[in-house]
Amino acid sequence: MDLNTDLKFIASEKLYNKLLKLDIKTLGECLKHTPYRYEIYNNIKKISQINENDKKIIVLVRVEIMQSRRSRNLKGNFTKAIVKDDTDRLEILWFNNPWIRKNIKVGDLIYLFCDISYKNGKISIINPKYKKYKKEEKIEEIIYPIYKKSNNLTQQDFRRVNKKIIKNYDVEFEEFIPETILKKQKLPNLTKTIIDLHKGNSEEIKKASLRLIFQKYFLINLKNILRKEYLEKQKTYPCEYKEKEIKDFIKTLKFKLTEKQNKVIKEIIQDQTENIPNNRLLEGDVGSGKTIVFLIATLNILLNKHQACLMVPTSILSTQHYQKILELFKNYKFKIALLNSKNSLINNKKVNKKEVIKGIKDGKINFLIGTHSVIQSNIEFKNLAFVIVDEQHKFGVNQRKKIKEQNFSSLNKEKIYPNFLSVSATPIPRTLHLAIYSDLKLSILDEKPQKRLDIKTKEVSNKLTISKKILKEIDFSDVNNIGSAYLFIKKEIQKGNQAYIICPIINEPDLENSEIYNLEIKSAKEEYKKITNLNIFKETNIGLLHGKLKDAEKNKIREEFLNKKINILVSTSVVEVGVDIKDATCILIKGSERFGLSSLYQLRGRVGRSDKQSYCFISGNINNINTKNRIQALIKAKNSFELAEYDMENRGVGDFYGVKQSGNYTYNINKKLLEFIKKESIEFYQNNNIKKYPKLLKKIKKEEIEVHME
């Protein structure tokens, strides 16, 4: 059966229309929508053997009592069942599942697949999955694939349609990994991989997972090799190192550069003197002085009478950079422009956007700062020699590719690439850099500027108890719960400082999934409502920021916080990339178990942006051992690079960057695996003519393969 066969031939009209909203129209697209994790039940227990907090257990029971009633406290109905085996009895609850009584009758023998919680001194089982007992079928393991869903699609919708496709149609995906590689690594072909991800057993899922991981990083490594070879044959604008002028400029700064900053500046300028374009990644801790480093490197370009461009993710950040740059370069006769959704400026003078575009094209504008506005199709540079992308992981592959090619216009008869600098505060472990970004040179800033203090960090409980201790006497050592953290925040505000309170999600989670059911997380809206009603914050200006606000509203709130019209900003993680708020000295991060370690580090970095002492309080499910270890790692790590290496060694790539590894698979993407795949990729390329593998080449060129560090 052709993978391009329309799903309308096998799905109901209602289901078909729901799938269309996810851009799933064909058999192939449906099968490619693989599970992002699995619930694997293989812990077989008798009722008497069940312990507090048992996970993924299987219990064979007989139903004694089934009762349905309306809940007084929760919206909807619930069904209560009493079940037993030969050792004990147990109570089960299903919420908002009215058809459960049609499927299960008193006297039925059923398997329960469930997690155990322990509340009010007794075992509690809520919303377990179940299956009727069949004499010929002994269940020792059952796997539920979990799909990303939306538009009212249920897990059952995905499971049923994929099961139907696999059972009734002989599908085959085009293989692009050479057969010799698959045999050598003992990996399944692509068709078996996709099918096993939907319906395989544990071992098959494990193999399929490894195949996808190997495939992804094999392609990345080959793409990097080809890209590097290609760039080595291209041209750029070589620039002279204006050493005297650069040193004179550095002397005018009000602060002294660190040894690392001086080293990295020389590395970037060395790139500029070469005849071929260079790609470099500049990594640095939050507040390590990355901006002044790339601006000094930019100065060298401008002194050579070539153009430079800085692209940043938000309008407010572009404006802040622009004002800083104008101040730094005020003694030069450069024309510096700002272009974003709100403004078009040349040397701080408001002008028509067309005037900026014309100035870029004729070379009269030397330096352009902006958001994605700088990569519009009508923008052509005369001699762009240097591109900086700040917070590079916030831009897509195509956006970064487009900014590199802004010289490829009617003004240039040949392709001339600029030198490209990616800037990121998200630390990448060196192993991961070599595996994924091997086509990039790497510069690291891991020293703090002088007078910058460590952020004092501690975990606090979720209790709202507010101590009787007089407000002015409360100290960092007194803070042990959210209530005392609020008091401490109030004290900081009275000193003229500002604070963040971070929540992980906008709305309370729904109760469909038993895992989500137990999460005790307060939303940003709930938090905002709560603290505005607290007496200690009655005269405090509080703002609310989250991802569902329109861009104009977000920018308005950020500007009000920047201008100190807001004292406390309650927000989701949209503040992770933000502007410098010099007076923000305190941050409370709630629901910490919902953030990756990188996000926690980035969020903490919203404070400590000046020489003032800053503080970070972290709350959440701190009884969870993984959360506790994560918080302790954050407290103990001397810098983000140490943190990155620690987390990669302990939990792999996915957990650090806050991304689910494909399928939450058994195989962890760790240092050893990445190094192995890189070795195999290089060996394959060196020993084979890649042009003899057209399907592989097509895949490399077609797919924009990337790991998003978000």
Side-chain angles (χ1 to χ4, degrees), residues 419-673:
N419 280 290
F420 188 82
L421 182 69
S422 298
V423 182
S424 179
T426 302
I428 301 172
R430 188 164 188 83
T431 303
L432 190 58
H433 173 265
L434 293 173
I436 301 173
Y437 298 112
S438 57
D439 60 320
L440 299 181
K441 294 180 177 179
L442 179 65
S443 291
I444 291 177
L445 290 175
D446 53 7
E447 289 179 340
K448 285 186 179 178
Q450 291 181 345
K451 298 182 180 180
R452 193 65 58 89
L453 301 171
D454 288 336
I455 300 166
K456 291 186 177 181
T457 306
K458 74 187 308 188
E459 58 183 284
V460 296
S461 76
N462 289 322
K463 291 180 182 177
L464 192 55
T465 309
I466 295 181
S467 167
K468 293 179 181 178
K469 185 179 276 284
I470 299 171
L471 182 61
K472 65 181 180 180
E473 291 181 356
I474 193 165
D475 190 64
F476 178 76
S477 60
D478 300 318
V479 181
N480 55 20
N481 59 36
I482 286 175
S484 51
Y486 287 155
L487 277 176
F488 192 87
I489 287 170
K490 178 66 175 179
K491 182 181 176 183
E492 285 296 300
I493 290 166
Q494 288 177 341
K495 289 160 65 176
N497 297 320
Q498 294 166 281
Y500 295 96
I501 296 177
I502 306 298
C503 305
I505 51 177
I506 293 172
N507 296 309
E508 292 293 333
D510 59 53
L511 305 184
E512 179 184 340
N513 189 313
S514 60
E515 289 182 277
I516 296 175
Y517 182 84
N518 289 314
L519 292 175
E520 297 174 348
I521 301 167
K522 293 299 179 185
S523 70
K525 287 180 178 178
E526 288 277 322
E527 179 71 13
Y528 175 76
K529 184 179 177 181
K530 182 175 75 179
I531 70 166
T532 51
N533 290 324
L534 287 175
N535 285 332
I536 60 169
F537 293 132
K538 282 234 168 144
E539 296 177 6
T540 305
N541 294 323
I542 302 169
L544 174 64
L545 182 67
H546 57 72
K548 286 189 179 178
L549 294 173
K550 292 179 179 177
D551 285 345
E553 291 178 277
K554 288 182 200 171
N555 287 332
K556 180 176 180 290
I557 292 164
R558 283 170 174 147
E559 284 177 5
E560 286 179 350
F561 193 50
L562 179 64
N563 296 323
K564 296 192 77 170
K565 292 179 181 178
I566 291 174
N567 307 116
I568 299 175
L569 186 60
V570 178
S571 176
T572 57
S573 60
V574 291
V575 298
E576 188 179 327
V577 174
V579 295
D580 283 352
I581 309 293
K582 302 293 185 187
D583 290 325
T585 60
C586 207
I587 185 166
L588 168 61
I589 304 172
K590 306 187 83 175
S592 57
E593 69 275 11
R594 300 284 286 174
F595 293 107
L597 192 50
S598 173
S599 289
L600 286 175
Y601 188 85
Q602 294 290 322
L603 287 167
R604 184 175 68 170
R606 291 303 96 213
V607 299
R609 314 290 287 191
S610 67
D611 56 2
K612 293 182 179 183
Q613 179 63 62
S614 290
Y615 309 90
C616 174
F617 304 108
I618 302 172
S619 75
N621 183 13
I622 55 178
N623 291 323
N624 179 295
I625 190 65
N626 290 330
T627 304
K628 207 166 186 68
N629 288 342
R630 184 186 288 126
I631 293 171
Q632 287 305 309
L634 185 67
I635 292 170
K636 291 176 183 177
K638 295 183 179 66
N639 56 56
S640 60
F641 302 99
E642 185 179 309
L643 201 61
E645 293 292 347
Y646 162 85
D647 211 64
M648 185 169 174
E649 287 300 314
N650 285 271
R651 287 183 288 278
V653 176
D655 191 63
F656 182 79
Y657 293 103
V659 295
K660 285 283 184 187
Q661 294 171 193
S662 299
N664 197 18
Y665 302 137
T666 312
Y667 266 99
N668 193 15
I669 308 176
N670 54 35
K671 178 179 178 179
K672 188 176 179 181
L673 182 58

Side-chain angles (χ1 to χ4, degrees), residues 166-184:
I166 292 166
K167 183 179 178 180
N168 298 317
Y169 299 95
D170 187 17
V171 295
E172 187 173 351
F173 288 88
E174 183 179 73
E175 184 58 74
F176 53 86
I177 299 291
E179 189 177 351
T180 52
I181 291 285
L182 294 178
K183 283 184 177 179
K184 181 181 178 184

Side-chain angles (χ1 to χ4, degrees), residues 53-88:
N53 299 320
D54 270 347
K55 301 295 180 188
K56 303 295 177 282
I57 68 169
I58 300 175
V59 194
L60 180 61
V61 296
R62 191 173 296 279
V63 180
E64 278 195 324
I65 299 171
M66 290 284 286
Q67 295 177 337
S68 293
R69 62 181 69 173
R70 187 160 187 82
S71 170
R72 292 180 181 178
N73 300 322
L74 297 170
K75 293 178 182 178
N77 300 312
F78 72 91
T79 300
K80 181 170 80 170
I82 304 296
V83 299
K84 69 172 185 176
D85 64 9
D86 57 357
T87 67
D88 209 344

